[in-house]
Amino acid sequence: MSPARQVQLTLVGIFLGIFLAALDQTIVATALPRIVQDLGGVDKYAWVATSYLLASTVGVPIFGRLADLVRAKVLLFWAVLIFLAGSALSGLSPSMNALIGFRGLQGIGGGALFAVAVTTIGLLIPPRERGRIQGAFGAVFGIASIVGPWLGGVLTDHLSWRWVFYINMPVGAVALWFIARYMPASAAPSRHRFDYLGAAALVLWTVPLLLALSWGGTTYPWTSPTELGLFGLAGLGLVLFVWVETHVAEPLFDLSLFVNPIFRYASLALFFFGAAFLSAMFFLPLYLIQVKGISATSSGLTLMPLTLGAVFGSVAGGQLASRTGRYKPWMLIGNLWLLLNFLAMHYLIDLNTPLWLVLALMVSMGLGLGPSMPLYTLAVQNSVEPARMGTASSATQFFRQIGSTLGTALLGAILAASLQSAIQSHLPSGVEAGGGVSMRDPAAIERQFAESERATFEEVRRALEGDQQAIAKLKASPFFPEDFKAMLGRPVPPALRETILKRVQDALTARMEALKAEMQKALDLAIVEAIRKVYLYGAGFVLLGLLATLLIPDAELKGKAHLAPAGE
């Protein structure tokens, strides 16, 4: 077998493993309601996703460092095995607590897969060809995000939610076979030591930080003792981490990498683009479903145009970098295009924006988002020696993940605050936005008006019976029809009460329907204003990423592969 063919077949195994890890970030979402029905623990609903996020984020830099110390083939093999073990145990979970724990194990495997796979590609593929492969790597993520929600729903409806995890087993077995059979052996394991103290310090600051950002403004108020305590612990952990990494002989994360300007500014750019990416992906379905009326049943497909654009942009960016041997021009073009699209979303999104225009903007935005992951990783790998490839590659993913989590928290807080103020400003006169109006529960408007109609009808019944308190309340109400207020306080014969009640009920129903439409419009307008503000702040993140990119030195992609099959 030719060396080129051996590399191609190795990449099949790597991409299958990456596809599984990326798929598991989205496939579980559609199965969660059924999981809660079977296992209970609705109060732990979010932890099924949070445990995976925490474990994978922490696992990336740890396994990135291990990739510099252990044979790549052995480490990748173990990464797939850990992921499959977590998948099998998650499928067998007898309780919600067990599922959360096993999802954490699965997340460790997923983080290891991301870190080791990116490093292996950097070692296996020459720099000039690496852009093409990194572009395909980014496309795998996009395809997984499209397939995941749909496949999760199909498996849950037609087999069982447990198959959301079991489906990984046969595909993972094929990935293991390709890796074991075709991946070339690397150099002998390094004699350097692993920094266990640094790994512990990393966990000590990243886990509290991610929990604080995930819970802030939703589970706990930002100023609650829990949130402040988590941020304080994260701060202390970060100080300890920096101290450890500057005092041990062989650190987990070599801070001297920041001396390298390509690594320094690429990591900073990825941090900002991670935040921008989530603002584009996370909040847009609210507008599409609530304002544009896309069915909630199709909610898993609402982001497909953006994702397809990102897949194409990722592949195209990698191909252009490989053909020209340069990465910075394509970074800047992608950044500027993305900035223009965020601003276009801010200025063009409205109640009456045609759906075709929104979808076109989503595809266009995806074209700018696509190159963000492959080109920056490519630049970093091209600037470091093979012995630091694992640490440097995994660090880019780590900073991007931290940026995504921070961006989601900050933009989520901006969205919630904007919604609250905008709803109040658009409500009909005399109406206040109380607990009945909620972005998380659109059906609250229906319930609020149904309860209000029932309560008003009971007040009318009591008023017709002579209840002075009910009469005063109805006369003061801005919603009770004026022509009926005139008859309040006059004696009404019992025989006419039901007739009057029927007329009042019909008038109330018509009035409430009109108010409901006004309330719905107020909510839609509030969502539009909030989403536009999110995209404006998102454009700010993109601009900061663009400024960091301008500082990245340009370099030619050249050199040979560091991990080559026999015969090369």
Side-chain angles (χ1 to χ4, degrees):
M1 181 183 296
S2 69
R5 181 65 174 163
Q6 188 177 349
V7 169
Q8 290 172 356
L9 293 173
T10 299
L11 289 175
V12 170
I14 291 173
F15 279 6
L16 282 174
I18 286 300
F19 178 75
L20 288 179
L23 188 71
D24 240 64
Q25 294 182 343
T26 57
I27 195 173
V28 178
T30 45
L32 268 176
R34 192 71 57 83
I35 291 173
V36 170
Q37 283 181 10
D38 285 1
L39 300 182
V42 68
D43 55 319
K44 299 168 185 172
Y45 187 97
W47 270 103
V48 177
T50 303
S51 61
Y52 188 96
L53 169 70
L54 292 175
S56 61
T57 303
V58 172
V60 163
I62 291 175
F63 279 87
R65 175 56 179 158
L66 285 172
D68 292 333
L69 306 178
V70 182
R71 291 181 190 271
K73 182 173 183 176
V74 173
L75 194 60
L76 188 58
F77 201 85
W78 274 104
V80 177
L81 282 178
I82 292 170
F83 181 80
L84 293 182
S87 299
L89 291 169
S90 294
L92 294 169
S93 297
S95 66
M96 186 62 87
N97 287 336
L99 177 61
I100 291 168
F102 295 142
R103 279 284 285 170
L105 177 63
Q106 197 182 26
I108 292 173
L113 268 170
F114 293 146
V116 183
V118 173
T119 304
T120 303
I121 290 172
L123 295 171
L124 194 62
I125 308 297
R128 188 65 179 259
E129 295 299 315
R130 207 176 287 157
R132 179 172 53 86
I133 303 302
Q134 292 285 13
F137 183 89
V140 168
F141 278 84
I143 294 169
S145 68
I146 294 174
V147 174
W150 169 80
L151 183 59
V154 169
L155 291 173
T156 302
D157 289 340
H158 297 285
L159 292 172
S160 162
W161 63 264
R162 298 181 186 275
W163 275 96
V164 167
F165 302 106
Y166 293 153
I167 192 68
N168 295 330
M169 308 309 292
V171 183
V174 174
L176 284 174
W177 184 83
F178 273 97
I179 293 167
R181 176 72 178 80
Y182 296 110
M183 185 171 174
S186 57
S190 168
R191 294 181 180 276
H192 296 286
R193 295 180 180 179
F194 181 74
D195 178 16
Y196 292 99
L197 186 58
L202 175 75
V203 173
L204 190 59
W205 77 266
T206 52
V207 170
L209 177 64
L210 291 172
L211 286 176
L213 294 174
S214 299
W215 287 344
T218 53
T219 307
Y220 301 103
W222 286 105
T223 55
S224 68
T226 300
E227 285 293 303
L228 295 176
L230 286 171
F231 280 121
L233 182 58
L236 290 174
L238 180 58
V239 170
L240 176 62
F241 177 74
V242 172
W243 185 87
V244 169
E245 298 306 276
T246 53
H247 285 78
V248 296
E250 299 179 45
L252 173 79
F253 184 89
D254 190 352
L255 297 178
S256 66
L257 278 170
F258 285 105
V259 175
N260 178 343
I262 294 178
F263 175 84
R264 180 169 67 246
Y265 295 119
S267 298
L268 187 61
L270 281 173
F271 176 84
F272 290 124
F273 286 126
F277 181 80
L278 260 292
S279 69
M281 295 283 287
F282 195 75
F283 303 109
L284 193 55
L286 178 66
Y287 170 81
L288 291 171
I289 294 171
Q290 180 68 27
V291 179
K292 303 311 293 181
I294 291 179
S295 166
T297 333
S298 308
S299 59
L301 304 176
T302 53
L303 293 175
M304 185 179 286
L306 190 149
T307 307
L308 289 174
V311 168
F312 183 82
S314 177
V315 173
Q319 290 281 357
L320 289 168
S322 287
R323 290 182 182 182
T324 61
R326 296 283 176 180
Y327 49 79
K328 188 170 180 178
W330 312 115
M331 286 178 177
L332 293 174
I333 291 171
N335 293 174
L336 287 169
W337 185 258
L338 187 59
L339 180 60
L340 289 174
N341 275 273
F342 266 76
L343 292 174
M345 292 291 276
H346 169 69
Y347 287 110
L348 297 180
I349 287 291
D350 206 339
L351 276 183
N352 302 315
T353 306
L355 184 58
W356 67 264
L357 179 57
V358 178
L359 297 178
L361 286 171
M362 289 171 68
V363 173
S364 183
M365 187 184 306
L367 293 174
L369 283 169
S372 65
M373 182 172 175
L375 292 185
Y376 289 93
T377 303
L378 177 65
V380 168
Q381 289 184 338
N382 191 58
S383 70
V384 298
E385 61 271 23
R388 305 171 90 182
M389 186 82 74
T391 300
S393 300
S394 62
T396 61
Q397 299 175 69
F398 177 75
F399 287 121
R400 189 171 184 268
Q401 182 63 60
I402 294 293
S404 296
T405 309
L406 179 62
T408 304
L410 291 178
L411 293 172
I414 290 167
L415 181 79
S418 300
L419 270 176
Q420 188 60 33
S421 60
I423 284 175
Q424 190 61 59
S425 66
H426 290 297
L427 285 176
S429 177
V431 179
E432 293 186 359
V437 180
S438 169
M439 61 173 281
R440 298 188 185 90
D441 186 10
I445 292 177
E446 292 281 345
R447 292 196 300 271
Q448 180 181 358
F449 278 98
E451 290 167 8
S452 179
E453 186 177 348
R454 281 195 299 270
T456 305
F457 188 71
E458 287 303 316
E459 294 283 357
V460 173
R461 185 184 294 278
R462 289 199 299 273
L464 291 177
E465 293 172 355
D467 188 323
Q468 293 302 312
Q469 188 176 359
I471 292 171
K473 222 170 162 185
L474 288 171
K475 284 185 175 181
S477 171
F479 308 119
F480 192 65
E482 291 295 329
D483 51 338
F484 285 104
K485 286 183 180 180
M487 72 171 63
L488 293 175
R490 299 177 186 173
V492 178
L496 292 178
R497 286 178 188 171
E498 290 304 318
T499 304
I500 293 174
L501 279 172
K502 179 68 171 63
R503 288 175 56 203
V504 169
Q505 186 174 31
D506 292 341
L508 276 177
T509 301
R511 174 65 173 148
M512 289 298 180
E513 286 298 323
L515 280 172
K516 191 190 301 181
E518 291 181 55
M519 288 281 285
Q520 187 61 59
K521 186 178 180 181
L523 180 59
D524 289 350
L525 285 168
I527 288 172
V528 167
E529 288 187 19
I531 291 294
R532 290 175 66 174
K533 187 170 287 187
V534 163
Y535 274 101
L536 184 61
Y537 280 89
F541 284 131
V542 176
L543 180 60
L544 291 171
L546 172 61
L547 294 175
T549 303
L550 285 169
L551 298 173
I552 297 175
D554 196 14
E556 185 181 355
L557 297 171
K558 59 183 180 180
K560 296 182 179 180
H562 306 292
L563 174 59
E568 282 200 332

